[in-house]
Amino acid sequence: MIDATARQARVIEKLRESGHRLTPQRMAVLDVLLRTKEHPTAEQVYEQVRAEFPMTSLATIYKTVTVLKEMGEILELGSSDGSNHYDGTPHPHPHLICVQCRSIVDVQGDFLEDLPQEVAQRTGYQIVGHQFDFFGICPSCQEGRNEP
């Protein structure tokens, strides 16, 4: 697996090659998305970037996540509350989503790796992508540590 620094360098090169400006704010957005294990919303990315670059606009965040999503470098995850979360791990993988606090975590393991091929064989579909999420109540909410 490629480390965050090498991946960031690769994404920066792709941005350059495609003619996108590499502003400090855009680099900060990229850094937040590629280094976090969380699945932040654009607003959460905005708060983190604004701490270092107070003049950053929310529009800059949305433009940057759109570019990165279109380049296939991040995933956009929809939420039942209408907000979108962003995942810096660009390959499709399952998530656990808490229905109370809305936290999102990646499911580790390769036990679902063959599922798309199996679905294709059983249905005749040519699978071009997939999203697989589990919904439940996280351990913190079960113990009453999170506010709903």
Side-chain angles (χ1 to χ4, degrees), residues 63-84:
K63 288 176 190 173
T64 303
V65 296
T66 298
V67 166
L68 294 171
K69 184 178 71 166
E70 289 171 353
M71 292 174 68
E73 294 299 334
I74 63 170
L75 294 177
E76 182 176 63
L77 309 170
S79 176
S80 61
D81 66 358
S83 63
N84 290 323

Side-chain angles (χ1 to χ4, degrees), residues 43-135:
E43 291 78 11
Q44 291 168 327
V45 173
Y46 171 67
E47 290 303 321
Q48 290 183 49
V49 171
R50 215 174 83 178
E52 187 175 347
F53 299 99
M55 299 305 288
T56 301
S57 70
L58 188 54
T60 296
I61 307 303
Y62 278 111
K63 288 176 190 173
T64 303
V65 296
T66 298
V67 166
L68 294 171
K69 184 178 71 166
E70 289 171 353
M71 292 174 68
E73 294 299 334
I74 63 170
L75 294 177
E76 182 176 63
L77 309 170
S79 176
S80 61
D81 66 358
S83 63
N84 290 323
H85 294 257
Y86 298 93
D87 188 339
T89 305
H91 63 278
H93 57 279
H95 297 95
L96 292 164
I97 302 170
C98 180
V99 297
Q100 288 186 0
C101 70
R102 307 219 188 286
S103 65
I104 302 171
V105 297
D106 293 335
V107 175
Q108 302 299 317
D110 57 2
F111 58 94
L112 296 173
E113 195 171 289
D114 296 330
L115 186 60
Q117 293 82 9
E118 187 175 325
V119 170
Q121 287 176 343
R122 288 183 182 207
T123 64
Y125 273 69
Q126 179 181 0
I127 306 297
V128 296
H130 68 280
Q131 183 174 336
F132 196 61
D133 299 323
F134 296 93
F135 297 88

Side-chain angles (χ1 to χ4, degrees), residues 9-20 71-73:
R10 193 192 75 210
V11 174
I12 289 169
E13 187 59 32
K14 277 179 78 172
L15 286 165
R16 276 192 187 113
E17 289 173 358
S18 61
H20 291 93
M71 292 174 68
E73 294 299 334

